Amino acid sequence: MKKSLRKLYIDERKNLSDKYKAESGKEIEKKFLSTEEYKNSSKIFIYINMKNEAPTVGIIKQALKDGKEVAVPVTLTNREMFFVYIDGLDNLVKTKIGVYEPKAERKDEALPDEQTLLAVPGVAFDIEGKRMGYGGGYYDTYISEKNVENTIGICYDFQLVDEIPTEEFDRKLKRIITEKRDIKGGK
């Protein structure tokens, strides 16, 4: 069931117009940057959007301007990833699957603390803070292992649904932001 739902939302996201993505992206960015979680954080752990995901580059640039420490993920195998601090977007390399990451080793890992806000990607989210990712389990594993409390899912409004099927290892997010809504989730 999750596999067919993933395909449905990914296909729908592919059909969004460039104008819609740009306008919605600005609204998502504005909402994200105005949250108390953002204002009260000193560290922003955030993914670099790929393909047709809601954009995060504007958030990254503003967080750097605001003097926040910004870290982006480096993915490994077996549901493992770690975050590395960046000072801009110039020194990133494109991976085989089309994701931009810093060239880094595990020794460069940035660790989250109580002042860290983690932005989480997904294919779909629900109003209780549950999310459906891409099926790799990277973010659920990371949230659990690092005990990250401040989490915000970023997506287009059509990706926010009434209920997402979940499994025992799935982690709820504290907040979900779309261009139209700002939903307090679970935790």
Side-chain angles (χ1 to χ4, degrees):
M1 181 170 170
K2 270 189 171 182
K3 191 174 183 177
S4 61
L5 282 174
R6 264 190 203 99
K7 181 175 175 4
L8 175 75
Y9 288 110
I10 289 171
D11 287 347
E12 192 167 338
R13 207 170 56 192
K14 285 178 188 173
N15 293 323
L16 297 175
S17 72
D18 289 341
K19 181 182 178 189
Y20 179 85
K21 289 188 280 191
E23 290 173 358
S24 296
K26 290 285 182 204
E27 281 302 308
I28 291 167
E29 179 181 320
K30 190 166 83 175
K31 282 186 166 97
F32 185 95
L33 296 171
S34 68
T35 64
E36 287 302 311
E37 291 87 351
Y38 176 79
K39 292 175 186 175
N40 295 330
S41 66
S42 61
K43 300 176 182 180
I44 307 297
F45 283 31
I46 188 168
Y47 63 98
I48 298 169
N49 63 282
M50 64 175 198
K51 299 180 184 168
N52 296 301
E53 290 176 328
T56 58
V57 171
I59 294 169
I60 293 168
K61 288 178 179 178
Q62 187 60 52
L64 290 168
K65 282 183 193 173
D66 290 342
K68 308 231 185 232
E69 293 183 278
V70 177
V72 297
V74 175
T75 53
L76 305 171
T77 55
N78 300 324
R79 299 178 186 216
E80 273 194 90
M81 69 177 177
F82 62 96
F83 283 78
V84 175
Y85 290 118
I86 59 170
D87 57 10
L89 298 167
D90 296 335
N91 297 319
L92 303 173
V93 293
K94 194 173 187 178
T95 66
K96 291 178 206 171
I97 62 167
V99 178
Y100 284 92
E101 296 182 349
K103 257 192 143 46
E105 297 176 24
R106 195 65 183 240
K107 67 180 176 56
D108 303 317
E109 181 175 9
L111 296 173
D113 60 24
E114 63 280 345
Q115 293 293 306
T116 301
L117 173 58
L118 175 64
V120 183
V123 175
F125 300 83
D126 75 15
I127 56 177
E128 293 180 3
K130 296 180 275 183
R131 83 182 253 285
M132 180 188 310
Y134 294 92
Y138 287 90
Y139 278 87
D140 292 314
T141 301
Y142 190 84
I143 290 166
S144 291
E145 286 181 357
K146 304 296 184 190
N147 199 28
V148 181
E149 291 291 325
N150 290 317
T151 54
I152 294 181
I154 301 172
C155 65
Y156 295 110
D157 201 68
F158 79 87
Q159 294 173 270
L160 186 58
V161 299
D162 290 336
E163 189 174 355
I164 293 281
T166 58
E167 297 174 41
E168 65 185 65
F169 57 82
D170 291 333
R171 298 290 162 246
K172 282 187 178 183
L173 304 179
K174 187 174 184 179
R175 194 173 205 147
I176 311 293
I177 292 179
T178 78
E179 72 276 17
K180 296 178 182 175
R181 294 184 272 179
D182 181 350
I183 305 288
K184 299 259 179 154
K187 196 67 178 152

